[in-house]
Structures are given as structure tokens and as C-alpha cells.
Amino acid sequence: MIPAAFEYAAPKTVAEAIALLRGADSGGKILAGGQSLVPMMRFRLAAPNLLIDITRIPELRIFKEESGYLRIGAMVTHGELERSAMVGERYPLLASTARVVADPIVRERGTICGSLVHADPAGDWGAALIAARAQAVVTGPAGERTMPLDDFLVDTFTTALGEDEILTEVRVPTPPALSGGNYQKIERKVGDFATAAVGVQLTLSEQGAVEAVGIGLCAAGPVSLRATAAEGMLIGKVLDDASITAAAAAAATQAEPTADTRGAIDYKRDMVRVLTSRALHAARAAIRA
Amino acid sequence: MSHHIEITVNGTHQALDVEPRLPLVFALREMLDLTGTHVGCDTTSCGACTVLVDGTPVKSCTMFAVQADGCSVETVEGLAAGGELHPLQKAFWENHGLQCGFCTPGMLMTAKALLARNPRPSEVEIRRGISGNLCRCTGYQNIVKAIQQAAAEQSTAAAAGD
């Protein structure tokens, strides 16, 4: 399977890439790791006129903590994040997500930002980074704008990106003390899309009550979903078996999975319940004294 | 429009003119006659086409040749040096780490990258490391054994060389 013909450009700066996008008159597409886009092109589900390869833009490789955020540039791969000692130590939600994205070879090329732009509701990063309350940094001809990831992910395969804009970075708030996080996923085999998955980011008070919590659901609707009801009922509560059970049930109620070869609706909804419970327990266990 | 690219393949400099839509695996197989790299699923699932690009394992059906401009590519043909099998190839042979052999080139390249990063992986780390490479003869037991043997031999050789 060979894709439809296209022109190829490998700019050296973001400004150049945006100029190319503008010039392509909505026929341009950004190529980062290409682990979703290239298969789409080979199936001819996507047929851009111009592929703008951003892998040679050094500024997009930014990957560091700064001003209360972890900055993840557009060219940071799943594998790079998975191997980061800093992420392993301070961002257990991200570390546990990176380990289960696609397969180890795909993780070497695929990027976090590319996965978000692809906006597949079965993509892991949408759910995980909604739980982490990440910000999307979008760059266009007029400069940079920042929005909560919830607003960036609009619908299935649809984001808030304009035709001449690039997701240049995603910013994850550095968790305060007494925080933990975890990502739980059920998949039929490595590399398959999730049957169901849930990400949790949690902060407790000194007294053990839930001060902040984010819960993101993967493959549980047309877009990565925030389990708002479950989050709301946990705030201020002590995180014990009773409150976890109730929150997990609320997350399952909010989920809108569809039936496919991975399972029926009732089964998937129940897996959201099970995984929310497991992720909350594991997030609590990940809190360091 | 075709693009002129220069890549190093198994240590040899190659200049190619490629259409942007040509996947790397077809440039290797059809332009350079390096047919050791196999096309399995052709859809990023099976890992048979895995090669190393600047040392990193890549499914070469999911990267365009034009993207490899300036890179160093290593394929299964680059493993044996001077007629001697690479320790991984020898270990696959001795442990019956292949049956039909279709997945083997990808398995070997993935294993090479795995051992470069982690010279003494545990069994779990090996199984996780090759989880993007499918073997339909279900030879995983022996593939894992082969990688363990190669890891042990390589680290013994490294220790002897110290």
C-alpha cells in the first residue's frame, strides 16, 4: 500500500513550518513521529498534498520542568518520556501511561503531541493528560495560545487546531506534595487500541482528604472524557474503599463506550468502573511520604 | 517530485532519488536489493520490517525513505561481520529461535537495540522489549532464550576485553 503522492518539506523552524502550512491552503499536514499519520496515509484515509516534517526543528524537542510545569515539546517521543528518570520519580501518571502506549518500537518514534493531535478517543494520552489537567500550547501565524486540553480535544479525530496552527507543546502541572497518579489499561494484546483505560491524578491534604483529583477516560466516548461527576464527589472526602467505590460507579455511568470487537457496552462500562477503582488505589499508593 | 537523499546503510554510503511517498522498507528492498528486511503486515503492527535508524528501532513500513536523509540505517544484512554470525544470530541458531524465519530480521534488530540499551535484561524486560514484534510460529520461548544467551555472551566478552 503506497500513499497518494505528496510534496515533502523539512523546515528548520516553527515559523517556517507555519508558513508552509499557510501556503498549502489546507492541504498541508504536519509529520512528527508519523505512527498514526503514515498508516492513515497508507490506507488512503488521509491524503495530504504536502507533508511538513517537523522532526528537524530543534526547538520542538524541549522536555524539561519550568515555572511549575513539565514542558513536553512536539517532538518528545513516548519512549523518551518512558525512560526519563525525572518523569518516573515525579509524574507516576505519565510514567505508567508511557509504558502502555502502542508497542515499544512505535513508542520510539511516536510523539505525545502527535497522539493528541490525532485525537483518537482510544488514544492513551488524551485521557491521561486530561486527568493531569495539562495545557495545550498552540502556535500559529499570530503567535501562541494556550488552552486546557479539555478544550483542545473537540471530537473524534477533531481538535481546536486551526489550519495554520501547530500543537508545539503540552504543559503538565508539576504535582504538589502528597500527589500521586496512575494509568490503568485493558488491551487484548500489545499494540491494540484500549478496550478501556483510565488515568487518575490525585492530591491529598495533610489530613488525608482529597484536595484535587483528575480522572480521564479512554475509549469511553467520542472524545477523551473527563469523569466530572466522579471527580466532584471525591473532593474533600477521605479516599477510602467506600468513596473509591462510589467514584468508580459514577465514572462508569458517565462513560459512553460503543460496542465493537473489543467488547459490548455493558462490559466496557464495567471495565471503566474496575479501572477507575484500580487507578485511584494505585494513585494513592504512588504518593510519596 | 523526487528527492535526493544520502543515507548510510550498513556502513555504506548510498545516494538515492526517492519519491516522498516511498516507505523506507521499499527503498531498502527494491532500490538497494537488501531483501533481508521483510514486509509483514505493512500496517505498523508486526515488526517484521524493523531496522535501526541512528541506532533506534523503527518499523520501516511506517517511515518514508525521504525522512531518513542523513541518517545511518542498519538492517539484518549488517549484523554478520566478516562471515561470522553476530552473537544474536548465533544464539537464535543454537536455541532454535526461529521456525519459518519471517519475523527473525525484525526480532534480531529489535534485540540488538534492546541489548545496546540494556546489556543484561531480565526475562520480563526481554518479553516487554520484543512485544512489538510478532512471531506466528509462536517461538517466543526460544527467542527469549536466544536473547538471554546473546546477552550473557556479550557481557562475558565485554568483561574479558576489560
Side-chain angles (χ1 to χ4, degrees):
Chain A
M1 293 171 303
I2 302 292
F6 57 86
E7 289 297 319
Y8 170 87
K12 296 285 194 303
T13 65
V14 171
E16 229 181 295
I18 291 167
L20 284 162
L21 266 180
R22 295 201 85 174
D25 194 22
S26 79
K29 193 87 183 152
I30 297 291
L31 173 69
Q35 300 299 289
S36 296
L37 178 59
V38 175
M40 298 258 298
M41 290 172 65
R42 301 199 64 199
F43 281 119
R44 301 215 177 190
L45 295 169
N49 300 323
L50 172 68
L51 214 48
I52 303 161
D53 182 350
I54 59 168
T55 59
R56 293 169 198 260
I57 303 179
E59 58 197 286
L60 296 179
R61 300 204 172 263
I62 188 158
F63 184 40
K64 63 172 183 184
E65 284 184 308
E66 199 176 270
S67 323
Y69 288 97
L70 174 62
R71 301 179 60 188
I72 304 173
M75 280 317 305
V76 176
T77 65
H78 315 298
E80 188 180 351
L81 191 140
E82 183 184 6
R83 284 189 294 276
S84 158
M86 172 254 295
V87 168
E89 220 166 274
R90 289 204 285 284
Y91 299 84
L93 167 60
L94 305 192
S96 57
T97 307
R99 276 197 290 273
V100 297
V101 172
D103 70 48
I105 305 174
V106 168
R107 290 201 288 273
E108 291 297 334
R109 278 193 80 73
T111 62
I112 290 96
C113 287
S115 166
L116 293 172
V117 170
H118 186 52
D120 188 325
D124 295 298
W125 287 117
L129 293 176
I130 276 179
R133 297 190 193 278
Q135 300 273 322
V137 181
V138 166
T139 308
E144 213 175 84
R145 61 192 181 110
T146 302
M147 68 189 83
L149 190 63
D150 304 61
D151 297 339
F152 179 81
L153 299 170
V154 174
D155 204 342
T156 307
F157 301 133
T158 306
T159 68
L161 271 185
E163 282 180 353
D164 50 7
E165 289 182 318
I166 301 174
L167 177 64
T168 41
E169 186 177 325
V170 61
R171 288 185 190 154
V172 181
T174 299
L178 294 176
S179 294
N182 185 257
Y183 192 73
Q184 293 281 327
K185 177 178 181 177
I186 296 178
E187 57 185 354
R188 295 180 303 178
K189 55 176 270 298
V190 168
D192 189 22
F193 289 103
T195 302
V198 177
V200 165
Q201 180 65 35
L202 181 69
T203 303
L204 300 184
S205 69
E206 294 283 351
Q207 290 72 37
V210 175
E211 209 160 75
V213 62
I215 303 175
L217 310 182
C218 166
V223 65
S224 306
L225 212 62
R226 178 181 294 286
T228 47
E231 288 177 358
M233 61 200 285
L234 282 171
I235 295 294
K237 297 270 172 51
V238 171
L239 197 67
D240 55 18
D241 285 354
S243 64
I244 288 177
T245 301
T253 303
Q254 208 176 339
E256 310 162 34
T258 50
D260 60 19
T261 51
R262 295 173 187 83
I265 289 173
D266 287 351
Y267 166 70
K268 289 185 175 184
R269 199 187 291 284
D270 203 42
M271 289 309 102
V272 171
R273 179 186 65 78
V274 169
L275 296 180
T276 303
S277 169
R278 284 181 192 167
L280 281 164
H281 279 107
R284 184 178 58 186
I287 296 175
R288 294 187 174 220
Chain B
M1 196 182 77
S2 86
H3 283 245
H4 183 76
I5 63 166
E6 310 218 353
I7 54 178
T8 303
V9 182
N10 300 329
T12 304
H13 177 264
Q14 302 280 2
L16 300 172
D17 290 311
V18 294
E19 239 195 300
R21 61 175 168 169
L22 183 73
L24 176 61
V25 67
F26 294 117
L28 295 170
R29 288 176 56 86
E30 293 171 11
M31 299 178 85
L32 299 176
D33 275 338
L34 293 170
T35 53
T37 303
H38 293 162
V39 182
C41 67
D42 210 11
T43 53
T44 329
S45 300
C46 79
C49 66
T50 303
V51 301
L52 306 187
V53 177
D54 290 339
T56 300
V58 168
K59 294 187 180 184
S60 60
C61 74
T62 311
M63 174 176 185
F64 296 115
V66 67
Q67 294 177 267
D69 190 18
C71 294
S72 175
V73 179
E74 197 179 338
T75 71
V76 69
E77 287 92 342
L79 286 180
E84 285 285 314
L85 290 182
H86 184 277
L88 273 164
Q89 292 172 305
K90 182 169 153 282
F92 269 62
W93 179 319
E94 290 174 358
N95 290 279
H96 196 56
L98 61 149
Q99 184 176 315
C100 83
F102 199 87
C103 72
T104 310
M107 283 286 182
L108 286 168
M109 301 319 286
T110 301
K112 186 178 186 216
L114 174 70
L115 295 187
R117 189 171 278 151
N118 180 1
R120 290 308 304 265
S122 67
E123 183 186 334
V124 171
E125 286 168 335
I126 293 172
R127 287 184 183 276
R128 273 181 55 81
I130 62 169
S131 60
N133 296 78
L134 303 184
C135 164
R136 299 191 71 178
C137 307
T138 70
Y140 293 115
Q141 298 287 358
N142 290 344
I143 291 169
V144 172
K145 266 192 236 164
I147 297 172
Q148 283 172 318
Q149 180 185 312
E153 281 179 13
Q154 282 187 328
S155 52
T156 309
D162 282 346

